[in-house]
């Protein structure tokens, strides 16, 4: 087998193999040549070459998101490393084990005017869980540092950074390993969790209990616990599409439910206990509600972190969700009209929703209604941020469909790259639903040799950042159109041709019906369905929807 001659590179590669980290996303460069040679010449590793470092990091993030295990990104020295930062921040807040290994110049070459050098040590300090700043010479300290970094990525679910200085020559190889790092088996003490009787008693006595579920990996909660919650008259469960949690009594269209609420309605809905599960929540309206009408108790369940999102956190239960629910839920229920009163309101909302959708013209709203009714079952949706994920919250989806979105930082910067990585790692057919600005921003994502043939993109092109027309401050001025909405007349047809995607387009209901069927049936190569909607009408139709619910 071929190995890099530099012992430090050998140590890194050998430790990664011994720790079972298999997926390596490499961006081209010279300083990282020892790592590239070592990883690509070892059959244990699955290596991918992605030229654009920002795309590479989000591509790796998508793989790690699906596999729920560490994925490595490798880059050369200098500004290449800084392009990883958006994905690092996303991994930090979404609890995804992304491992960055950056090649660096020796410390003596930093800040002396040498080319392609920056201060790489601790560059991600604010958003990485561990920073291993290695020394140039092989040592036990280096080996332990590398192993601790990988251990933290796995056990604390987040990004880590390993910075490795290499001196030239960089391309020399040997046929035998010169290092034998001592592998350390770190032990993580299992947390014993016991829910106190007082907590169970508080739960059982409360007549208004609201469960709000944020981002969750599919099948995170056992069905038996969902059934108990669904049958408790004092419990209302609100989920989102990214919750990947389903029961016929749960409400997954939060904004549709609460937007028409009056002050009196909000007070009636105000819970005694708020129990939050999962990660980030999309709905701004539910956040505003709970910040103003605070619960007496806010409990969050997560074995690692708890955010005081509503300024009311009273307990962080550091355990797995199923462990918590197994101890919380007893056969006792209390008489309450909390669930039934909300169910009555919800039934009325659903009727008005159907009535409104049936009569509106072609628009973003109409398109999302169509998409959600026609998405292939047993597939996964990757959804970009801003308008796309918010529109998706307003419609029913089949429970067999898994939904993912980069809600850690809610950025548009890597949605397509993440989706491609996820599609590669998942056994499910994958569709990315994205807006035009998000798609164009991450268009280098298509510069990728690993895109599955059945990968599909539904691109809604409303000629700009439509979400800014919904937010406060919208005015029909040159400043707004140019600097906020960023109006444009671009389309994806030439990008599709350049990257060998099949391209379909629709601009009304008839063409959407015709093109969607052909788009869905194309599995010989990746495809894009670009849907053009009316820029000026979309926001009015959406805002009118919420008014009509009253």
């Amino acid at each position: 087998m071929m190995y890099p001659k530099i012992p430090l590179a050998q140590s890194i590669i050998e430790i990664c193999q011994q720790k079972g980290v298999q997926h390596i996303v490499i961006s081209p460069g010279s300083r990282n040549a020892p790592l590239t040679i070592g990883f690509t010449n070892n059959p244990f590793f699955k290596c991918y070459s992605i030229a654009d470092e920002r795309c590479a990091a989000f591509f790796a993030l998508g793989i790690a998101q699906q596999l729920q295990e560490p994925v490595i990104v490798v880059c050369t020295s200098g500004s290449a490393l800084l392009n990883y930062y958006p994905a690092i921040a996303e991994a930090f807040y979404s609890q995804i084990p992304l491992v960055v290994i950056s090649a660096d110049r020796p410390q003596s070459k930093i800040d002396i005017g040498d080319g392609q050098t920056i201060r790489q040590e601790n560059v991600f300090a604010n958003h990485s869980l561990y920073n291993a700043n290695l020394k140039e010479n092989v040592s036990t300290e280096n080996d332990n540092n590398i192993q601790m970094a990988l251990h933290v990525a796995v056990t604390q679910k987040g990004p880590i950074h390993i910075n490795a200085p290499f001196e030239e020559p960089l391309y020399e190889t040997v046929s035998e390993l010169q290092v034998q790092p001592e592998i350390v088996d770190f032990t993580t003490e299992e947390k014993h969790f016991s829910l106190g009787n007082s907590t169970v008693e508080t739960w059982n006595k409360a007549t208004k209990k609201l469960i709000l579920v944020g981002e969750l990996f599919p099948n995170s909660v056992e069905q038996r616990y969902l059934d108990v919650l669904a049958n408790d008259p004092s419990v209302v469960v609100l989920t989102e599409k990214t919750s990947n949690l389903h029961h016929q009594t749960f409400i997954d269209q939060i904004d549709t439910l609460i937007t028409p609420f009056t002050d009196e309605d909000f007070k009636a809905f105000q819970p005694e206990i708020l129990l939050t599960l999962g990660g980030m929540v999309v709905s701004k309206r539910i956040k505003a509600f709970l910040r103003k009408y605070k619960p007496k108790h806010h409990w969050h369940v997560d074995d690692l972190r708890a955010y005081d999102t509503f300024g009311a956190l009273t307990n962080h239960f550091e355990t797995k969700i199923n462990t918590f629910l197994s101890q919380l839920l007893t056969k006792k229920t209390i008489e309450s009209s909390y669930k039934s009163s909300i169910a009555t309101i919800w039934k009325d909302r659903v009727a008005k929703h159907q009535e409104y959708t049936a009569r509106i013209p072609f628009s973003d709203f109409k398109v999302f209604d169509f998409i959600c009714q026609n998405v292939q079952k047993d597939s996964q949706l990757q959804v970009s941020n801003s308008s796309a994920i918010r529109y998706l919250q307003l419609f029913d989806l089949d429970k067999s469909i898994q939904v993912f979105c980069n809600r850690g930082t809610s950025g548009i910067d890597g949605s397509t790259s993440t989706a491609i990585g996820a599609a590669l790692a998942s056994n499910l057919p994958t569709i990315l639903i994205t807006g035009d600005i998000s798609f164009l921003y991450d268009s280098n994502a298509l510069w990728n040799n690993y895109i599955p043939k059945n990968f599909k993109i539904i691109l809604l092109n409303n000629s700009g950042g439509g979400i800014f027309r919904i937010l406060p401050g919208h005015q029909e001025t040159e400043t707004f159109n140019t600097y906020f909405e960023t109006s444009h007349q671009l389309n994806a047809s030439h990008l599709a041709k350049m990257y060998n995607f099949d391209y379909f387009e629709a601009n009304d209901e008839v063409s959407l019906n015709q093109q969607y069927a052909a788009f869905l049936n194309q599995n010989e190569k990746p495809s894009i369905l670009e849907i053009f909607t009316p820029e000026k009408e979309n926001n009015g139709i959406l805002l009118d929807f919420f008014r009509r619910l009253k």
Side-chain angles (χ1 to χ4, degrees):
M1 194 184 297
M2 186 187 297
Y3 302 97
K5 186 175 180 180
I6 296 175
L8 177 59
Q10 290 185 16
S11 290
I12 293 169
I13 293 158
E14 184 67 11
I15 289 169
C16 288
Q17 180 174 352
Q18 292 295 325
K19 292 296 182 180
V21 186
Q22 195 172 26
H23 294 270
I24 318 293
V25 181
I26 301 170
S27 292
S30 183
R31 190 59 51 170
N32 59 333
L35 295 170
T36 301
I37 291 167
F39 281 126
T40 58
N41 283 281
N42 186 327
F44 172 79
F45 297 107
K46 295 181 179 178
C47 296
Y48 313 89
S49 175
I50 305 292
D52 184 318
E53 282 86 5
R54 189 183 72 193
C55 294
F58 277 108
F59 174 74
L61 183 86
I63 298 173
Q65 174 203 83
Q66 291 299 303
L67 298 182
Q68 298 283 287
E69 62 185 46
V71 174
I72 292 173
V73 283
V74 178
C75 71
T76 190
S77 62
S79 61
L81 178 61
L82 301 182
N83 288 293
Y84 285 163
Y85 213 140
I88 285 285
E90 178 62 35
F92 180 82
Y93 287 108
S94 289
Q95 299 188 28
I96 294 174
L98 186 65
V99 175
V100 170
I101 304 179
S102 57
D104 199 357
R105 278 161 165 71
Q107 194 63 39
S108 60
K109 300 288 181 69
I110 309 301
D111 289 344
I112 65 165
D114 205 25
Q116 210 168 335
T117 59
I118 63 171
R119 300 174 187 178
Q120 293 186 194
E121 293 187 354
N122 304 313
V123 73
F124 303 123
N126 282 339
H127 295 96
S128 56
L129 300 178
Y130 193 90
N131 299 282
N133 299 305
L134 306 182
K135 306 301 181 187
E136 190 177 347
N137 295 321
V138 166
S139 66
T140 300
E141 180 186 0
N142 269 348
D143 293 348
N144 290 343
N145 221 356
I146 296 164
Q147 292 180 74
M148 178 55 76
L150 296 175
H151 176 71
V152 168
V154 173
T155 57
Q156 296 186 30
K157 298 179 186 175
I160 60 93
H161 178 206
I162 299 170
N163 192 61
F166 299 131
E167 183 57 282
E168 297 178 3
L170 302 167
Y171 293 88
E172 293 184 352
T173 62
V174 294
S175 58
E176 299 287 338
L177 274 176
Q178 300 167 280
V179 301
Q180 287 187 320
E182 182 181 345
I183 301 303
V184 180
D185 291 322
F186 296 99
T187 56
T188 302
E189 186 178 337
E190 276 195 41
K191 298 176 184 175
H192 175 71
F193 179 78
S194 180
L195 192 60
N197 290 334
S198 61
T199 301
V200 177
E201 188 176 346
T202 300
W203 175 265
N204 288 336
K205 285 182 177 179
T207 59
K208 295 165 67 179
K209 297 177 284 242
L210 178 63
I211 299 179
L212 176 61
V213 188
E215 210 168 15
L216 269 184
F217 197 74
N219 304 312
S220 293
V221 185
E222 292 181 28
Q223 187 63 43
R224 55 179 168 155
Y225 301 131
L226 302 182
D227 293 338
V228 172
L229 294 170
N231 291 318
D232 190 326
S234 65
V235 173
V236 170
V237 180
L238 299 182
T239 67
E240 297 190 308
K241 296 300 183 291
T242 51
S243 304
N244 291 300
L245 205 64
H246 307 282
H247 195 282
Q248 60 184 6
T249 68
F250 297 172
I251 297 172
D252 70 348
Q253 298 164 48
I254 297 172
D255 289 356
T256 301
L257 174 70
I258 70 172
T259 299
F261 274 3
T262 63
D263 183 62
E264 186 179 339
D265 294 328
F266 278 124
K267 287 177 180 175
F269 191 42
Q270 183 178 12
E272 298 168 52
I273 299 175
L274 169 66
L275 174 61
T276 52
L277 312 173
M280 299 296 187
V281 172
V282 175
S283 172
K284 292 178 69 174
R285 288 180 171 93
I286 196 68
K287 293 174 192 174
F289 159 58
L290 291 168
R291 286 166 182 162
K292 183 176 180 180
Y293 301 88
K294 297 183 189 296
K296 184 177 180 181
H297 306 277
H298 173 199
W299 302 344
H300 185 73
V301 182
D302 188 286
D303 53 347
L304 293 171
R305 300 186 219 173
Y307 295 117
D308 190 8
T309 305
F310 315 109
L313 187 67
T314 51
N315 288 93
H316 172 204
F317 296 103
E318 296 180 56
T319 188
K320 305 288 186 186
I321 294 173
N322 289 315
T323 302
F324 176 82
L325 294 178
S326 70
Q327 297 184 32
L328 177 72
L329 302 180
T330 66
K331 293 182 179 179
K332 295 180 181 178
T333 58
I334 193 167
E335 194 173 319
S336 172
S337 60
Y338 190 54
K339 181 192 290 289
S340 61
S341 63
I342 292 300
T344 300
I345 295 170
W346 180 240
K347 185 178 179 181
D348 179 66
R349 297 279 194 271
V350 170
K352 288 179 177 175
H353 185 292
Q354 292 171 345
E355 178 187 329
Y356 184 78
T357 307
R359 65 176 184 78
I360 59 173
F362 190 74
S363 56
D364 283 350
F365 197 99
K366 194 80 168 181
V367 168
F368 270 92
D369 178 57
F370 175 88
I371 292 170
C372 290
Q373 288 186 53
N374 291 280
V375 171
Q376 180 181 350
K377 292 182 179 180
D378 298 307
S379 62
Q380 73 158 315
L381 291 183
Q382 292 279 334
V383 188
S384 72
N385 277 301
S386 295
S387 295
I389 189 61
R390 286 180 168 81
Y391 268 110
L392 195 74
Q393 304 299 326
L394 303 177
F395 300 92
D396 285 328
L397 269 179
D398 188 85
K399 65 180 182 180
S400 70
I401 297 165
Q402 300 180 3
V403 180
F404 299 90
C405 179
N406 286 345
R407 290 306 297 176
T409 60
S410 305
I412 68 167
D413 33 12
S415 299
T416 308
S417 298
T418 303
I420 293 170
L424 184 71
S426 174
N427 294 322
L428 298 176
T430 301
I431 298 174
L432 167 67
I433 302 178
T434 184
D436 49 333
I437 299 298
S438 180
F439 173 80
L440 293 168
Y441 196 94
D442 195 26
S443 60
N444 261 7
L446 305 185
W447 183 14
N448 184 313
N449 293 324
Y450 312 99
I451 303 175
K453 290 182 179 179
N454 64 348
F455 178 68
K456 300 181 185 302
I457 298 174
I458 297 176
L459 167 57
L460 274 85
N461 189 338
N462 52 24
S463 305
I467 192 169
F468 290 102
R469 290 182 167 272
I470 301 166
L471 298 175
H474 166 235
Q475 299 175 30
E476 206 61 49
T477 63
E478 184 178 346
T479 296
F480 175 85
N481 293 339
T482 302
Y483 296 101
F484 289 92
E485 187 185 29
T486 55
S487 297
H488 66 86
Q489 298 300 317
L490 302 173
N491 64 68
S493 60
H494 293 289
L495 280 171
K497 185 177 181 180
M498 181 166 72
Y499 291 113
N500 198 29
F501 273 62
D502 258 6
Y503 178 77
F504 305 84
E505 66 174 278
N507 49 34
D508 55 31
E509 288 186 59
V510 174
S511 59
L512 178 57
N513 274 284
Q514 293 171 344
Q515 295 296 301
Y516 186 81
F519 163 77
L520 210 58
N521 291 328
Q522 168 56 279
N523 291 309
E524 295 304 312
K525 60 180 180 178
S527 52
I528 296 173
L529 170 60
E530 186 165 21
I531 306 170
F532 298 91
T533 62
E535 175 190 9
K536 300 291 195 295
E537 287 81 8
N538 284 318
N539 63 309
I541 290 170
L542 178 62
L543 295 173
D544 189 48
F545 165 69
F546 290 116
R547 286 192 290 268
R548 300 279 178 168
L549 291 172
K550 294 181 181 179

